[in-house]
Amino acid sequence: MGNTKSGALSKAILDDLKLNTKYTEEELCAWYATFLKECPSGRITKEQFEGIYASFFPDADPTAYARHVFRSFDTNADGTLDFKEYIVALHLTSSGKTLRKLEWAFALYDVDGNGTISKNEVQEIVRSIFNMIPVEDQKNLPEDENTPEKRADKIWTFFGKKEDDKIGEGEFIQGVMENKDILRLIQFDEPKKIQEKLKEKKH
């Protein structure tokens, strides 16, 4: 058996991640080696996480979005992510099964963690997503969703909500699953870019 070296990923975590993400053992071990190089303590801080997102999006400002993503995965609120939380975060934000992804999306939009989403919270996340879209690309957006406010209005209208209404998790997930437009509007979907960056980091 032998004791697990700190440089090796434990079999339990490896098996868990292989089961719950689409990554192979080879990919996970390579990422773990990179993770330990950048985070010798085995934990990644919010600032380091923001730095990783900044390297993914050099033409935009992903800081606010990265902060929200970090919050949604820092389940024990200790201000750090371990390797498992970090990989689950990357998996869910770039792929992942629809239901798990939507549960995560709800946590992302529930900024104050009170179990419901308000229109202000939708605006806050949408604004952070807009910061990640290069200015040139923003010019190509449809007229009725080319500002964070317009996009938040559109999402709220799709849900059939009044200005001060709230949305619970069940209603949020059902609404998104029934309306592809909401799904498109609530997410920042550049998984290819993130996947490519991760592959580069491995070599």
Side-chain angles (χ1 to χ4, degrees):
M1 296 285 284
N3 55 359
T4 309
K5 297 193 301 294
S6 59
L9 196 50
S10 84
K11 189 173 184 312
I13 291 177
L14 193 57
D15 289 347
D16 187 280
L17 288 171
K18 280 197 300 187
L19 191 67
N20 290 302
T21 72
K22 61 179 178 17
Y23 305 129
T24 64
E25 185 164 335
E26 187 189 7
E27 285 177 316
L28 289 165
C29 290
W31 281 342
Y32 188 60
T34 306
F35 183 83
L36 279 186
K37 251 186 234 140
E38 294 182 14
C39 313
S41 68
R43 305 192 75 82
I44 188 166
T45 65
K46 188 168 69 177
E47 290 71 27
Q48 287 170 311
F49 191 76
E50 287 169 12
I52 288 167
Y53 260 78
S55 72
F56 289 158
F57 304 102
D59 305 326
D61 179 11
T63 311
Y65 186 72
R67 195 175 300 136
H68 286 300
V69 171
F70 187 92
R71 165 186 54 77
S72 68
F73 285 107
D74 181 15
T75 43
N76 59 359
D78 69 350
T80 64
L81 299 183
D82 61 22
F83 181 71
K84 186 175 165 185
E85 288 170 321
Y86 173 65
I87 290 295
V88 169
L90 290 175
H91 171 68
L92 273 184
T93 51
S94 62
S95 55
K97 293 194 175 81
T98 304
L99 184 60
R100 287 283 307 278
K101 192 168 182 176
L102 293 181
E103 286 170 348
W104 165 70
F106 182 82
L108 179 72
Y109 275 83
D110 182 13
V111 176
D112 63 7
N114 72 348
T116 61
I117 293 173
S118 68
K119 190 175 180 184
N120 281 344
E121 288 175 315
V122 170
Q123 269 190 4
E124 184 170 340
I125 300 298
V126 169
R127 192 171 296 114
S128 73
I129 289 172
F130 255 75
N131 289 344
M132 298 194 352
I133 304 172
V135 178
E136 280 306 305
D137 294 348
Q138 287 185 28
K139 291 174 186 169
N140 302 325
L141 292 169
E143 177 62 31
D144 63 346
E145 53 185 72
N146 60 5
T147 69
E149 291 71 26
K150 285 181 186 175
R151 188 171 276 211
D153 282 343
K154 202 168 179 181
I155 292 168
W156 218 237
T157 303
F158 276 134
F159 275 113
K161 292 296 180 186
K162 298 192 187 76
E163 195 71 17
D164 295 330
D165 285 348
K166 302 273 194 289
I167 299 174
E169 185 177 29
E171 185 182 7
F172 176 83
I173 290 171
Q174 187 181 353
V176 175
M177 288 182 101
E178 288 174 358
N179 190 327
K180 290 281 182 285
D181 274 317
I182 299 179
L183 181 62
R184 181 179 60 77
L185 289 166
I186 65 163
Q187 65 185 356
F188 177 76
D189 211 6
E190 269 202 60
K192 294 271 186 305
K193 192 168 193 174
I194 290 182
Q195 290 298 324
E196 282 160 17
K197 284 283 182 189
L198 285 171
K199 284 191 167 59
E200 282 168 25
K201 275 183 175 289
K202 279 162 53 182
H203 297 309

